[in-house]
Short mmCIF file of all heavy atoms in Angstrom, two decimals:
data_model
loop_
_atom_site.label_atom_id
_atom_site.label_comp_id
_atom_site.label_asym_id
_atom_site.label_seq_id
_atom_site.Cartn_x
_atom_site.Cartn_y
_atom_site.Cartn_z
N SER A 123 60.85 119.62 53.61
CA SER A 123 60.68 118.65 54.69
C SER A 123 59.52 118.98 55.61
O SER A 123 59.45 120.08 56.16
CB SER A 123 61.96 118.55 55.52
OG SER A 123 61.79 117.62 56.58
N SER A 124 58.64 118.03 55.78
CA SER A 124 57.63 118.12 56.83
C SER A 124 58.29 117.71 58.15
O SER A 124 59.47 117.38 58.19
CB SER A 124 56.46 117.19 56.52
OG SER A 124 55.85 117.53 55.29
N GLY A 125 57.52 117.72 59.21
CA GLY A 125 58.01 117.17 60.47
C GLY A 125 58.07 118.12 61.64
O GLY A 125 58.24 117.68 62.78
N ALA A 126 57.92 119.44 61.40
CA ALA A 126 58.05 120.37 62.52
C ALA A 126 56.93 120.17 63.55
O ALA A 126 57.19 120.11 64.75
CB ALA A 126 58.04 121.80 62.00
N ILE A 127 55.69 120.08 63.09
CA ILE A 127 54.58 119.91 64.02
C ILE A 127 54.69 118.57 64.73
O ILE A 127 54.50 118.47 65.96
CB ILE A 127 53.23 120.05 63.29
CG1 ILE A 127 53.03 121.50 62.84
CG2 ILE A 127 52.08 119.60 64.19
CD1 ILE A 127 51.74 121.73 62.06
N ALA A 128 55.00 117.51 63.97
CA ALA A 128 55.12 116.18 64.57
C ALA A 128 56.22 116.13 65.61
O ALA A 128 56.07 115.54 66.69
CB ALA A 128 55.36 115.14 63.47
N GLU A 129 57.37 116.74 65.33
CA GLU A 129 58.47 116.78 66.29
C GLU A 129 58.08 117.63 67.50
O GLU A 129 58.41 117.28 68.64
CB GLU A 129 59.73 117.33 65.64
CG GLU A 129 60.88 117.64 66.58
CD GLU A 129 61.43 116.42 67.31
OE1 GLU A 129 61.05 115.28 66.95
OE2 GLU A 129 62.25 116.60 68.22
N GLY A 130 57.37 118.73 67.26
CA GLY A 130 56.92 119.55 68.38
C GLY A 130 55.95 118.80 69.28
O GLY A 130 56.01 118.92 70.51
N MET A 131 55.06 118.02 68.68
CA MET A 131 54.14 117.19 69.46
C MET A 131 54.90 116.24 70.37
O MET A 131 54.57 116.07 71.55
CB MET A 131 53.22 116.40 68.53
CG MET A 131 52.16 117.22 67.82
SD MET A 131 51.36 116.29 66.47
CE MET A 131 50.90 114.76 67.31
N LYS A 132 55.94 115.63 69.82
CA LYS A 132 56.73 114.68 70.60
C LYS A 132 57.44 115.38 71.76
O LYS A 132 57.44 114.91 72.89
CB LYS A 132 57.73 113.99 69.68
CG LYS A 132 58.54 112.88 70.36
CD LYS A 132 59.94 113.35 70.67
CE LYS A 132 60.77 112.22 71.27
NZ LYS A 132 62.14 112.66 71.62
N ARG A 133 58.02 116.54 71.47
CA ARG A 133 58.75 117.28 72.50
C ARG A 133 57.82 117.80 73.59
O ARG A 133 58.22 117.94 74.75
CB ARG A 133 59.52 118.43 71.88
CG ARG A 133 60.68 118.00 70.99
CD ARG A 133 61.52 119.16 70.53
NE ARG A 133 62.69 118.71 69.79
CZ ARG A 133 63.82 119.38 69.68
NH1 ARG A 133 63.95 120.57 70.27
NH2 ARG A 133 64.84 118.90 69.00
N LEU A 134 56.59 118.09 73.20
CA LEU A 134 55.61 118.59 74.17
C LEU A 134 54.83 117.48 74.86
O LEU A 134 54.02 117.74 75.74
CB LEU A 134 54.63 119.55 73.46
CG LEU A 134 55.24 120.87 72.98
CD1 LEU A 134 54.26 121.58 72.04
CD2 LEU A 134 55.61 121.76 74.15
N GLY A 135 55.07 116.24 74.44
CA GLY A 135 54.40 115.11 75.06
C GLY A 135 52.97 114.90 74.63
O GLY A 135 52.18 114.30 75.36
N TRP A 136 52.60 115.38 73.44
CA TRP A 136 51.24 115.24 72.92
C TRP A 136 51.13 113.99 72.05
O TRP A 136 51.88 113.84 71.08
CB TRP A 136 50.84 116.47 72.10
CG TRP A 136 50.82 117.75 72.88
CD1 TRP A 136 50.88 117.89 74.24
CD2 TRP A 136 50.74 119.06 72.34
NE1 TRP A 136 50.84 119.22 74.59
CE2 TRP A 136 50.75 119.96 73.44
CE3 TRP A 136 50.66 119.58 71.06
CZ2 TRP A 136 50.69 121.34 73.29
CZ3 TRP A 136 50.60 120.96 70.90
CH2 TRP A 136 50.61 121.83 72.00
N ALA A 137 50.21 113.12 72.39
CA ALA A 137 50.07 111.86 71.66
C ALA A 137 49.26 112.01 70.38
O ALA A 137 49.44 111.25 69.43
CB ALA A 137 49.42 110.81 72.56
N THR A 138 48.34 112.97 70.36
CA THR A 138 47.50 113.16 69.17
C THR A 138 47.64 114.59 68.68
O THR A 138 47.89 115.52 69.45
CB THR A 138 46.02 112.88 69.49
OG1 THR A 138 45.59 113.74 70.55
CG2 THR A 138 45.82 111.43 69.89
N ARG A 139 47.48 114.76 67.38
CA ARG A 139 47.60 116.07 66.76
C ARG A 139 46.47 116.97 67.24
O ARG A 139 45.29 116.65 67.09
CB ARG A 139 47.54 115.92 65.23
CG ARG A 139 47.72 117.22 64.45
CD ARG A 139 47.56 116.94 62.96
NE ARG A 139 47.61 118.16 62.16
CZ ARG A 139 48.67 118.59 61.48
NH1 ARG A 139 49.78 117.87 61.50
NH2 ARG A 139 48.62 119.70 60.78
N PRO A 140 46.78 118.13 67.82
CA PRO A 140 45.73 119.03 68.31
C PRO A 140 44.98 119.67 67.16
O PRO A 140 45.45 119.71 66.02
CB PRO A 140 46.51 120.07 69.12
CG PRO A 140 47.87 120.08 68.50
CD PRO A 140 48.13 118.68 68.06
N LYS A 141 43.81 120.20 67.45
CA LYS A 141 43.01 120.87 66.44
C LYS A 141 43.07 122.40 66.56
O LYS A 141 42.81 123.10 65.59
CB LYS A 141 41.55 120.40 66.55
CG LYS A 141 41.38 118.91 66.24
CD LYS A 141 39.92 118.49 66.32
CE LYS A 141 39.76 117.02 65.98
NZ LYS A 141 38.34 116.58 66.08
N ALA A 142 43.38 122.89 67.74
CA ALA A 142 43.44 124.33 67.95
C ALA A 142 44.63 124.92 67.19
O ALA A 142 45.75 124.41 67.29
CB ALA A 142 43.55 124.65 69.44
N ILE A 143 44.36 126.00 66.45
CA ILE A 143 45.40 126.59 65.63
C ILE A 143 46.59 127.05 66.47
O ILE A 143 47.75 126.82 66.11
CB ILE A 143 44.84 127.79 64.83
CG1 ILE A 143 43.82 127.29 63.80
CG2 ILE A 143 45.96 128.55 64.13
CD1 ILE A 143 44.38 126.35 62.78
N HIS A 144 46.35 127.70 67.61
CA HIS A 144 47.45 128.21 68.41
C HIS A 144 48.32 127.07 68.96
O HIS A 144 49.53 127.23 69.13
CB HIS A 144 46.94 129.09 69.55
CG HIS A 144 46.12 128.37 70.57
ND1 HIS A 144 44.76 128.13 70.40
CD2 HIS A 144 46.45 127.84 71.77
CE1 HIS A 144 44.30 127.48 71.45
NE2 HIS A 144 45.30 127.29 72.29
N GLU A 145 47.72 125.91 69.22
CA GLU A 145 48.50 124.76 69.68
C GLU A 145 49.34 124.18 68.55
O GLU A 145 50.49 123.77 68.75
CB GLU A 145 47.58 123.71 70.28
CG GLU A 145 46.93 124.14 71.59
CD GLU A 145 46.03 123.07 72.17
OE1 GLU A 145 45.60 122.17 71.40
OE2 GLU A 145 45.75 123.12 73.38
N LEU A 146 48.77 124.13 67.34
CA LEU A 146 49.53 123.66 66.19
C LEU A 146 50.70 124.59 65.89
O LEU A 146 51.81 124.14 65.57
CB LEU A 146 48.61 123.55 64.97
CG LEU A 146 47.60 122.40 64.98
CD1 LEU A 146 46.53 122.62 63.93
CD2 LEU A 146 48.31 121.08 64.75
N GLN A 147 50.46 125.88 66.00
CA GLN A 147 51.53 126.84 65.76
C GLN A 147 52.62 126.72 66.82
O GLN A 147 53.81 126.83 66.51
CB GLN A 147 50.95 128.26 65.73
CG GLN A 147 50.07 128.50 64.51
CD GLN A 147 49.36 129.84 64.55
OE1 GLN A 147 48.98 130.31 65.61
NE2 GLN A 147 49.18 130.44 63.39
N ALA A 148 52.23 126.48 68.05
CA ALA A 148 53.21 126.30 69.12
C ALA A 148 54.04 125.04 68.88
O ALA A 148 55.27 125.04 69.05
CB ALA A 148 52.50 126.22 70.47
N ALA A 149 53.37 123.96 68.47
CA ALA A 149 54.10 122.73 68.18
C ALA A 149 55.08 122.92 67.03
O ALA A 149 56.21 122.42 67.07
CB ALA A 149 53.10 121.61 67.83
N ALA A 150 54.67 123.67 66.02
CA ALA A 150 55.56 123.94 64.89
C ALA A 150 56.79 124.73 65.34
O ALA A 150 57.92 124.45 64.93
CB ALA A 150 54.82 124.71 63.80
N ALA A 151 56.58 125.72 66.21
CA ALA A 151 57.69 126.54 66.68
C ALA A 151 58.69 125.71 67.48
O ALA A 151 59.91 125.86 67.33
CB ALA A 151 57.16 127.70 67.53
#
């Protein structure tokens, strides 16, 4: 299942997928 980063973006209030690796990793967590 995909969805961890997308769900993290929603929970963090981010409308667009970030490009910075550390932000993507944070969203995944």
Side-chain angles (χ1 to χ4, degrees):
S123 179
S124 300
I127 291 178
E129 170 64 9
M131 288 167 51
K132 185 257 184 181
R133 292 187 174 206
L134 292 168
W136 297 348
T138 58
R139 183 183 175 101
K141 296 182 179 179
I143 293 299
H144 65 277
E145 291 180 340
L146 287 165
Q147 291 173 325

